[in-house]
Amino acid sequence: MGNKRRIPFASGDGWLSSGFYETHTGLPVNWRKRPLTPSIYMAKLIVRNTTPQDIDALVRLQREVYPTIPAWQHDRVAHQIALFPEGQFVAFYNDRLVGCASSLVILWDEWMEPHTWDEITAKGTFDTHDTAGYTLYGAEVFVAPLLRGKRLGHALYEARRRLCKTLNLRRIIACGRLPGYHKLADQMSAELYARKVLWGDITDPVLSFQLREGFRYCGIMRNYLADDHESHGYASLIVWLNQDYDPARPTGLQLARAAEKDMQR
């Protein structure tokens, strides 16, 4: 079994401000048990990890945001939390659940070819989550329609970035909807639409936001969400690179898996 000696650490960004590392994992003590974002506060906005008690409100909000797309079921969200609790986030504003960000870890080499949302998320079960992976895959982000513009999306994206750094993952990859495309679909291809967003000729509610958040546009995915009629099924493939990634170190999930194996011996 590995050495469990505790060594102190401090973080300059006020996120995990003090505590201990365990030398056998290199991660903060009880890092799996406590919320990864206890201090992401903006006025009355709080972002934290999703708990089973949040599921009913989360599903109701998803139905409100996407009335034409089938919402997740309670047991599916519970399964996501059980598989990868660190990767699931909710936002609360005035003590009301108003946003969600869900993610899993993958080996991107296995998914770099064109794929659909159902394929890469195993139809939302996240059974494709792979603790050996180096890529945090953003499966879902949504916020309450009446609170758009309140920087909820930024707070949820920041939670993902901090998780990516904490786990020493190489990058975040996602496929974003193009909800403005249906207005211009009879005039141009999805590829040209995305390029015009990049050039500043068009503003898309999702892709324009993602570019402001530091993501890079990589191309168009076809038939990504068949039920997304606004996007005509298209999605933009985007990536954010973790500049703090250390290829000489295992990821946090790899270390945790190794520690669990040691404990079972």
Side-chain angles (χ1 to χ4, degrees):
M1 192 177 295
N3 184 358
K4 291 188 178 180
R5 181 173 59 88
R6 297 180 176 185
I7 56 176
F9 77 93
S11 173
D13 63 5
W15 181 42
L16 295 174
S17 58
S18 62
F20 295 91
Y21 280 128
E22 288 186 350
T23 57
H24 74 301
T25 65
L27 293 169
V29 172
N30 295 327
W31 71 281
R32 280 186 172 274
K33 296 181 181 180
R34 61 177 173 170
L36 288 171
T37 55
S39 62
I40 297 181
Y41 293 97
M42 295 167 52
K44 300 175 183 178
L45 173 64
I46 299 173
V47 172
R48 61 164 172 77
N49 288 116
T50 310
T51 68
Q53 291 72 33
D54 300 322
I55 296 177
D56 288 341
L58 188 157
V59 172
R60 285 195 300 270
L61 176 61
Q62 189 186 42
R63 288 174 179 156
E64 176 187 350
V65 174
Y66 301 131
T68 63
I69 298 177
W72 287 338
Q73 300 301 313
H74 187 284
D75 58 347
R76 187 171 299 181
V77 181
H79 190 58
Q80 295 171 2
I81 297 171
L83 279 178
F84 185 34
E86 302 85 5
Q88 320 313 320
F89 296 99
V90 284
F92 280 81
Y93 190 82
N94 283 344
D95 298 321
R96 185 168 69 93
L97 195 153
V98 294
C100 162
S102 302
S103 59
L104 59 154
V105 172
I106 60 170
L107 283 165
W108 180 242
D109 287 352
E110 297 178 355
W111 293 101
M112 64 175 62
E113 297 298 327
H115 57 265
T116 68
W117 187 89
D118 278 348
E119 289 170 342
I120 199 165
T121 68
K123 295 186 176 180
T125 63
F126 291 9
D127 282 338
T128 46
H129 174 66
D130 190 340
T131 57
Y134 295 87
T135 297
L136 186 68
Y137 190 86
E140 181 64 282
V141 171
F142 55 84
V143 300
L146 294 179
L147 288 176
R148 287 171 184 161
K150 299 290 187 182
R151 294 183 63 78
L152 269 68
H154 169 76
L156 289 165
Y157 270 56
E158 182 64 14
R160 274 186 182 164
R161 284 187 288 261
R162 293 186 175 192
L163 174 64
C164 186
K165 292 182 177 182
T166 296
L167 295 181
N168 190 40
L169 297 172
R170 185 187 298 273
R171 60 201 158 212
I172 303 172
I173 285 180
C175 289
R177 300 176 60 239
L178 296 169
Y181 178 57
H182 70 284
K183 300 176 182 178
L184 298 169
D186 61 343
Q187 302 176 34
M188 64 187 72
S189 66
E191 289 83 356
L192 179 56
Y193 175 84
R195 288 199 297 269
K196 282 183 170 289
V197 174
L198 292 173
W199 299 333
D201 294 337
I202 296 173
T203 298
D204 182 83
V206 175
L207 181 55
S208 297
F209 162 76
Q210 291 167 332
L211 295 173
R212 291 195 300 271
E213 288 293 316
F215 280 77
R216 303 176 186 179
Y217 169 75
C218 303
I220 290 292
M221 302 291 278
R222 300 172 182 271
N223 302 314
Y224 184 71
L225 281 170
D227 295 325
D228 184 3
H229 302 300
E230 287 185 327
S231 305
H232 285 221
Y234 293 104
S236 58
L237 178 64
I238 58 170
V239 63
W240 177 85
L241 299 177
N242 176 12
Q243 300 301 320
D244 296 333
Y245 170 68
D246 182 356
R249 291 195 297 118
T251 71
L253 295 180
Q254 292 167 356
L255 287 168
R257 185 177 60 176
E260 289 171 1
K261 288 182 178 179
D262 284 344
M263 293 178 66
Q264 294 170 2
R265 292 175 182 173

